[in-house]
Amino acid sequence: VKDLIPNCEYYFRVKAVNKIGGGDYIELRNPIIAEDPKQPPDPPVDLEVHNPTSKSVTLTWKPPLFDGGSKIMGYIIEKLAKGKERWERCNDYLVPLLTYPVKGLEEGKEYQFRVRAENAAGISEPSRITPFVKAVDPIDAPKVFLAANLQSGLEVKRGDEIILEAHISGSPYPSITWLRNDEVVRPEDIKKRVTAPKKRKGESILSIRDSIRADHGTFTIKVENDHGVAKASCVVNVLDTPGPPVNFVFEDLRKNSVICKWEPPLDDGGSEILNYVLEKKDNTKADMGWVTVSSTLRHCKFHVTKLIEGKEYLFRVCAENRVGAGPPCVSKPMTAKDPFSPPDAPNKPDVEDVTSNSMLVKWNEPKDNGSPIIGYWIEKREINSTHWARVNRNLVNALEVKVEGLLEGLTYIFRVCAENAAGPGKFSPPSDPKTAQDPIMPPGPPIPRIADTSATSIELEWEPPVYNGGGDITGYHVYKQLAGVNEWSRCTAKPIKVLHFTVGEVREGADYKLRVTALNAAGEGPPGETEPATVAEPKEPPTVELDVSVKAGIQVMAGQTIKIPATVTGRPTPTIAWTVEEGELDKDRVVIENVGTKSELTIKNAVRKDHGRYVITATNSSGSKSAGTRVEVFDVPGPVLDLKPVVTNRKMCLLNWSDPEDDGGSEITGFIVERKDAKMHTWRLAVDTDRSKCDITGLIEGQEYKFRVSAKNKFGTGPPVEIGPILAVDPLVVPGPPSCPEVKDKTKSSVALAWKPPQKDGGSPIKGYIVEMQDEGSTEWKKVNEGDKLFPTCECVIPNL
């Protein structure tokens, strides 16, 4: 039966039918509800066991594949101990989750587990059963580590206690073994303690009291259980004084010295050997004590000096570290004596091949006194010094040496000693003194020239010789020879060091030749000679040369300084004159300074009128010469000209003016117009204009104003020109005509007139009226007013008719 409505109640009935017809129905006694059938769920799946311990495990699973048509309400967990037949329920209440911790297990027993699901229709079949799980704590391999202060080793002094502390873990708790240098030792104290309920931990302490040097070594703790082995090591150093040095021997025995050698102690006491203490003792006297030779030796070798020849000595040496000094190592007895003697002194050395920085020293071979000479030591001394300095760092095997690095000009002596196995012998007598300088020859000729002549002298100059002969030039001699005479006469009484000389005692108009010779330590060299020169005052026309900085012209701003330097030459000395074209020099401001061949014109605080072409003229008996340059002085423009108001009324004022007479040397670029109220102090409302007029608007009727105008060029704004005060009113004109006069009264000799004022007063109040009259038949009008008096009102009386 299909297509039923869910949760509706239905009755059903059935009847049988054959070919004759249908029989009676049979009907259900109770109605049927249209709903899916309910049944217990399928069993849960994928049951697993996790984290077993000695008392508990944790179970997880997944829901049934089919919930039986009804929601799963929870799960039932059951356990079965090995050897038992009955399953035991683990949870008192349904578990709503998919995990459950089973507790209360007996340690060491094995268990199996299963899970059932429950819904409204009932309890499912059990899940698959887990394999047997043993209730034991998890396996933990052993671990061990030393205390933090032991990580980099332990160092103690002898007699101190050695304490080694280790921390151990593992399950089951491991066995502990202490070893020293891989040999087992029994610790005196081992403690175990539980620090956490879930994990057993412990510590082990090895203690060695009253430590000795032999206790040093590598200590190792080894921990072991069924699951492995772990180790931790610490290097323990027990500090003690070192042992005695070994193998004490003597080398290079001499009558006054010996070299003592030994080897370090076999045991350094656990600390670096800091130094050795060497002592000696006079073995011929039993009551003599030990004397310290040196207490700060870093090496195993020492050259002992100041021994007494023929005496027997004992030596002993002990090593020191930072703990202290160890026992000594004592030598065999030793007698201070030479096996042979040093060589004799060589003869006095010879010095050859002297240069400015080197000399060759030679000597003979002396007697060796029983031991072959192995070399020579050479010493030098500056003649004024008291100190002998060693020449060679290493022994010289030859009978000569080239001594280099000498200082030029100093004088040196040398001495030599020989050395054999017995040591160096005595020094030879010192050599003869020699000065460090190159071989000197007389210098070459100087290079002279006639610098100048006069009526009574000749000026001679020269350059030093190209070749100085290898020695410094010490001076010069000057010689003269009159033409036609073969003899030369010397002009200098003693050598002069300067490179010029004035030759006097000569005849005017005569011809002379001059010579110059140079001198050095080797003597006087060959001369340098001039051509014949005539004794006369030379005539040279003037030359004038302006400084290159001003030749192309000078441009300065007003207020700056004008400088025109020039060079003037000529013989005799020219007279100098400065002029300016198209004008005259301002003697109050122009300064002219003439020094030697230099002439300079200076004008401070230049002004516009200083511009022009400046000319310098030099004149002597041989002629005249001039040179000039253009000077431009730039400034701001001068004041404008002819400033005046063209039109003025109550609202505006039109100003007009002309360009300044002086544009400052640059084109006028515009004008600045300013105004101010006559009663105010501040100029304002500046107007820029490029024309020579300006329309100023916005005036207030009846106010007085002042105006000023300044011209501009590229160098700035010139001085202003003021005008005013100007009243802002309309311009005044003559008034209009009054009305025609009317006769108000008359007598036989007078007339009374009246009239009306004009309609326009011309911008100014009417001051009065002028009345004129004309006789009948005449064409001429006559003024009625007396003199310049005006009739103040619009009426008057004309008498005396």
Side-chain angles (χ1 to χ4, degrees), residues 435-676:
T435 301
Q437 59 188 13
D438 290 327
I440 297 177
M441 302 291 289
I447 306 168
R449 67 181 182 88
I450 303 296
D452 201 0
T453 64
S454 71
T456 58
S457 65
I458 303 174
E459 293 289 337
L460 181 66
E461 295 178 351
W462 60 90
E463 295 179 10
V466 176
Y467 172 60
N468 67 0
D472 290 338
I473 301 295
T474 57
Y476 299 90
H477 277 307
V478 178
Y479 300 83
K480 67 183 177 182
Q481 182 192 54
L482 180 63
V485 177
N486 292 329
E487 293 181 358
W488 290 85
S489 61
R490 198 167 76 180
C491 306
T492 49
K494 58 182 180 179
I496 60 173
K497 295 185 179 296
V498 293
L499 299 175
H500 55 85
F501 186 75
T502 301
V503 178
E505 299 181 6
V506 291
R507 295 204 309 261
E508 185 175 7
D511 291 338
Y512 287 87
K513 283 185 179 181
L514 301 180
R515 280 181 175 179
V516 184
T517 59
L519 294 88
N520 64 10
E524 187 174 7
E529 192 171 307
T530 69
E531 294 295 322
T534 302
V535 179
E537 188 75 39
K539 293 185 181 297
E540 297 176 5
T543 64
V544 180
E545 188 75 20
L546 290 175
D547 190 275
V548 67
S549 63
V550 299
K551 277 186 176 181
I554 302 173
Q555 294 183 339
V556 297
M557 290 296 297
Q560 294 180 340
T561 299
I562 300 171
K563 280 193 176 184
I564 311 176
T567 302
V568 179
T569 61
R571 299 283 293 270
T573 303
T575 58
I576 299 172
W578 285 89
T579 58
V580 59
E581 295 179 357
E582 304 170 2
E584 291 186 4
L585 294 177
D586 187 345
K587 294 182 180 180
D588 294 333
R589 297 175 52 250
V590 174
V591 177
I592 297 172
E593 187 174 7
N594 297 318
V595 178
T597 60
K598 304 295 182 184
S599 179
E600 185 174 77
L601 180 144
T602 305
I603 303 176
K604 293 185 177 180
N605 297 318
V607 295
R608 279 280 294 154
K609 69 177 182 178
D610 292 328
H611 74 281
R613 178 175 171 80
Y614 286 74
V615 178
I616 178 174
T617 303
T619 305
N620 67 6
S621 58
S622 298
S624 181
K625 184 73 172 179
S626 298
T629 186
R630 187 75 188 174
V631 175
E632 297 287 349
V633 182
F634 298 114
D635 199 355
V636 297
V640 299
L641 303 175
D642 302 330
L643 175 62
K644 57 188 177 183
V646 178
V647 177
T648 304
N649 59 36
R650 56 193 171 87
K651 292 184 178 180
M652 58 83 69
C653 180
L654 175 60
L655 299 177
N656 203 346
W657 61 87
S658 300
D659 285 351
E661 183 177 343
D662 180 11
D663 62 3
S666 175
E667 180 184 355
I668 300 296
T669 58
F671 304 90
I672 296 177
V673 182
E674 299 173 286
R675 86 176 193 203
K676 73 172 181 176

